[in-house]
Amino acid sequence: MESTSEQLEIIGLPPYIAGWSVVGLPGFASAVLDRWQRNYGRLPSRFELVACPQVEIDANGGLPSRVRELTDSRVRIQHFTGCHKPYLVILLFGEDAEVRREEIQKLLSWSEGYHVECMSGMTRLRLIEAVEENDYAVGLEN
């Protein structure tokens, strides 16, 4: 099993998102991907990744049932930052991964979504979308 921590490249992360991005924290994304591989085996060469602070999920009443429907427990990983803040990281595999990622991010405030490519000795994450507030959370306030 190859480790993803050899080299990680993040593409398209503007400074205003990098300021709150968990994926931009040194070692975070590599640790999540390495952990998944230790538990479940080799990652596909291409997939989607969504990361969201657990505190935002909890503030909105827990993980939306639709997110549970679109994923399974193997691909929902709770991982902590170096300063012990929990994040939910979701890995999405298959031909419909992009469609599911888009729907999931509409439900999760402060989420970031990436297209991931795993190559020999390198993992590349390309930012697709960063969502600060979502309609679901705003609707709860009304």
Side-chain angles (χ1 to χ4, degrees), residues 21-39:
S21 169
V22 72
V23 173
L25 293 176
F28 183 87
S30 296
V32 170
L33 299 177
D34 286 346
R35 182 174 154 203
W36 196 91
Q37 288 191 116
R38 278 192 310 275
N39 290 324

Side-chain angles (χ1 to χ4, degrees), residues 11-137:
I11 299 171
L13 191 61
Y16 69 94
I17 295 171
W20 58 266
S21 169
V22 72
V23 173
L25 293 176
F28 183 87
S30 296
V32 170
L33 299 177
D34 286 346
R35 182 174 154 203
W36 196 91
Q37 288 191 116
R38 278 192 310 275
N39 290 324
Y40 301 110
R42 188 187 267 324
L43 285 163
S45 61
R46 295 172 186 259
F47 58 94
E48 309 294 315
L49 179 149
V50 174
C52 180
Q54 186 65 43
V55 69
E56 290 296 328
I57 294 168
D58 294 346
N60 287 311
L63 191 63
S65 60
R66 183 63 181 148
V67 174
R68 291 183 194 280
E69 291 171 15
L70 293 168
T71 62
D72 66 56
S73 60
R74 282 182 7 140
V75 300
R76 292 189 308 262
I77 304 161
Q78 187 172 53
H79 198 76
F80 292 83
T81 65
C83 56
H84 309 292
K85 292 184 180 179
Y87 274 77
L88 176 66
V89 178
I90 301 171
L91 305 180
L92 299 159
F93 310 123
E95 292 182 17
D96 66 341
E98 173 59 24
V99 173
R100 290 184 293 137
R101 185 221 40 91
E102 187 176 349
E103 187 173 350
I104 287 168
Q105 280 200 265
K106 287 179 182 174
L107 299 170
L108 299 177
S109 291
W110 298 100
S111 63
E112 45 193 303
Y114 297 86
H115 175 72
V116 182
E117 292 180 81
C118 297
M119 301 160 274
S120 181
M122 162 108 132
T123 301
R124 179 176 294 138
L125 284 77
R126 180 179 44 83
L127 179 69
I128 300 168
E129 181 178 20
V131 175
E132 293 182 33
E133 289 295 329
N134 63 46
D135 294 336
Y136 176 75

